[in-house]
Amino acid sequence: MASNVSDPVAAPQGGADAAGAVPAASAPLIGVTTYLEQAQTGVWDVRAAFLPKVYLDAVTDAGGIAVLLPPQPASPEVARRVLGALDGLVVSGGADVDPARYGQEPHERTGAPRTDRDEWEDALFAAAIELELPFLGICRGAQLLNVALGGTLVQHLPDVVGTEAYQPAPAVFGQTRVAVDAGSRLADVLGPEATPHAVHVYHHQAIDEVAPGLTVTARTDDGVIEAVELDSVPFGIGVQWHPEQNDADRRLFAGLVEAARTHRTRRTPA
């Protein structure tokens, strides 16, 4: 589980285009999945799609244009049509993945399933892989990627590692360090100082059995998987930490935006 939290980090304003670095006409379109929850605003108390602003800042500060993708009726055709208009995809954090999707009964600490979001994001991942669209899965996004491809999850990580450090308190991010595998795409994106890499974490679940086709590229000292990559696509990374929460380090978003720009160039006739 990733977040259900407010936006605790004030990211820089303006983005790359406002700073004069990237013209808007060449900025890639990055789809970002959203929550769908009961929400209050003004006099209204309704089901609503929303996303912490820090995700949007992370995309725009890296030179992309953020496009929100709320949960909706899912089909392969709809997912392909949506992603066919985009240059990259971020599958954001949020509620626990339904354990029925990986053949388990729910743990007592597993949250109520959001089956509409599970189905929507599963369809988006399938379409992104088919189209070789660059994607970044964050926390829940990394977990759903693993489940979508046939892997499983640890439903309550403290049962395994004996600590609440990965989700220390409601709306409080933990901090840890991960060892990143040399030669991985993740290491290329993070650069020479890739490991040990300090990260913000907020997850009580974790990847357990790794799905076929995924490679583990980062772990903590106590063995928790914190990053996986899909070898069959040009850019497909899932991290269980929250890179959007570190406004001083937007390298993962910069890497996604650069890959999205390359993808856009390749599919656009000269």
Side-chain angles (χ1 to χ4, degrees):
M1 176 167 132
S3 39
N4 291 339
V5 297
S6 60
D7 174 3
V9 175
Q13 300 295 312
D17 188 52
V22 179
S26 64
L29 297 175
I30 308 297
V32 188
T33 64
T34 77
Y35 302 65
L36 183 61
E37 302 288 344
Q38 197 73 18
Q40 293 181 332
T41 177
V43 299
W44 304 106
D45 185 353
V46 296
R47 292 271 289 171
F50 72 94
L51 187 72
K53 180 176 176 285
V54 68
Y55 283 99
L56 310 181
D57 292 336
V59 170
T60 58
D61 289 347
I65 298 172
V67 179
L68 298 187
L69 303 177
Q72 55 195 281
S75 72
E77 294 76 19
V78 168
R80 283 194 295 267
R81 184 175 179 188
V82 169
L83 296 190
L86 300 177
D87 306 307
L89 173 67
V90 175
V91 178
S92 62
D96 295 340
V97 177
D98 185 359
R101 299 187 76 87
Y102 49 97
Q104 294 183 13
E105 294 296 320
H107 186 282
E108 62 181 6
R109 295 289 298 276
T110 296
R114 306 297 200 276
T115 56
D116 53 354
R117 188 173 177 190
D118 289 347
E119 292 169 3
W120 172 236
E121 293 177 352
D122 183 282
L124 290 177
F125 268 134
I129 293 167
E130 177 185 341
L131 298 171
E132 296 191 346
L133 186 83
F135 64 80
L136 173 63
I138 295 175
C139 201
R140 166 194 158 87
Q143 294 167 4
L144 184 62
L145 172 64
N146 187 58
V147 170
L149 295 176
T152 65
L153 302 179
V154 175
Q155 289 195 53
H156 192 55
L157 191 54
D159 291 346
V160 177
V161 298
T163 175
E164 302 275 353
Y166 290 90
Q167 194 180 71
V172 175
F173 285 85
Q175 295 191 39
T176 189
R177 291 183 177 272
V178 299
V180 178
D181 287 359
S184 63
R185 291 190 190 94
L186 182 60
D188 289 342
V189 170
L190 295 177
E193 300 178 357
T195 192
H197 185 59
V199 297
H200 292 70
V201 290
Y202 193 79
H203 60 92
H204 84 104
Q205 300 192 336
I207 292 173
D208 187 12
E209 180 180 342
V210 180
L214 291 180
T215 298
V216 176
T217 54
R219 294 180 186 266
T220 61
D221 287 343
D222 52 7
V224 176
I225 295 170
E226 285 289 336
V228 291
E229 298 178 8
L230 184 61
D231 303 326
S232 63
V233 297
F235 190 102
I237 295 176
V239 295
Q240 290 200 150
W241 70 83
H242 282 269
E244 80 282 359
Q245 296 298 330
N246 187 352
D247 62 343
D249 180 11
R250 293 284 164 81
R251 286 176 287 179
L252 272 169
F253 287 91
L256 173 68
V257 167
E258 183 58 32
R261 188 175 289 114
T262 299
H263 176 80
R264 180 181 181 184
T265 300
R266 287 174 177 169
R267 71 176 185 171
T268 303

